[in-house]
């Protein structure tokens, strides 16, 4: 089972700056992820929170809850949350960081990811397909190490 976590403001997908983030809603994105997961033989649970502490708790508890990996879009927390970074570092599961937009093509303050320093890798710029690529990677990783 894979835990997909979306951070602040991602509940507004579809309405929020659609020229950057597209027109797909969070619900539709989560449905797509469930479908991709099923194709890859991975169960997927998706959660979203606007609160840093809630995300920290979900990350802390993921292994105990029985998840085997985390796909994380930390939203703006990407760029400054040492708490989220520490949460990722303090738990055993592989974390893949994803972004809908290409951080490197955006404002200078978005071009650095603090959280990605603790992630296995980062997929950025492919819209919803960033999540699919993360799942493809995790399916391979988890199959190799059951
Ligand atoms: C984002 C990029 C972040 O800089 C921004 O704050 C978001 C979304 C993305 O998916 O492209 O909320 O994480």
């Amino acid at each position: 089972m894979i835990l997909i976590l979306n951070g602040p403001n991602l509940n507004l997908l579809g309405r929020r700056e659609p020229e950057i983030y597209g027109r797909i809603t969070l619900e539709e994105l989560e449905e797509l992820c469930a479908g991709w997961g099923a194709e890859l033989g991975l169960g997927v649970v998706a959660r979203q929170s606007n609160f840093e502490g809630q995300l920290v708790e979900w990350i802390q508890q993921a292994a105990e809850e029985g998840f085997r990996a985390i796909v994380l879009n930390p939203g703006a927390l990407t760029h400054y949350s040492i708490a989220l970074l520490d949460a990722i570092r303090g738990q055993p599961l592989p974390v893949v960081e994803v972004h809908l937009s290409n951080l490197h093509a955006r404002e200078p303050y978005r071009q650095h990811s603090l959280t990605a320093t603790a992630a296995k890798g980062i997929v950025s710029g492919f819209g919803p397909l960033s999540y699919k690529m993360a799942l493809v990677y995790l399916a391979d990783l988890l199959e190799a190490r059951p």
Side-chain angles (χ1 to χ4, degrees):
M1 198 70 94
I2 308 294
L3 179 60
I4 299 188
L5 292 181
N6 284 298
N9 296 302
L10 290 160
N11 57 312
L12 297 180
L13 276 185
R15 285 178 283 152
R16 169 198 185 203
E17 300 183 273
E19 65 289 355
I20 296 173
Y21 299 117
R23 298 216 168 265
I24 193 170
T25 65
L26 179 62
E27 203 184 351
E28 288 164 345
L29 174 63
E30 290 177 351
E31 277 169 24
L32 278 174
C33 287
W36 291 325
E39 283 170 21
L40 292 162
L42 297 171
V44 162
V45 170
R47 299 175 185 162
Q48 186 275 333
S49 179
N50 292 325
F51 298 94
E52 184 179 31
Q54 176 66 84
L55 294 163
V56 166
E57 289 197 347
W58 282 336
I59 292 168
Q60 284 180 1
Q61 292 159 6
E64 265 176 44
E65 282 192 75
F67 291 106
R68 296 182 66 206
I70 301 173
V71 174
L72 174 65
N73 184 345
L77 294 169
T78 303
H79 313 297
Y80 66 89
S81 176
I82 298 172
L84 220 46
L85 169 62
D86 286 347
I88 298 168
R89 289 170 61 147
Q91 58 81 53
L93 301 179
V95 175
V96 180
E97 181 167 311
V98 294
H99 297 280
L100 295 155
S101 62
N102 175 0
L103 296 185
H104 298 286
R106 300 207 49 201
E107 302 94 326
Y109 57 85
R110 290 187 206 276
Q111 290 178 11
H112 181 253
S113 170
L114 203 54
T115 45
T117 62
K120 278 292 218 181
I122 176 166
V123 190
S124 178
F126 302 100
L129 288 175
S130 293
Y131 293 73
K132 182 177 185 182
M133 292 177 199
L135 290 171
V136 167
Y137 165 72
L138 288 173
D140 187 75
L141 180 77
L142 297 175
E143 199 184 343
R145 279 188 256 148

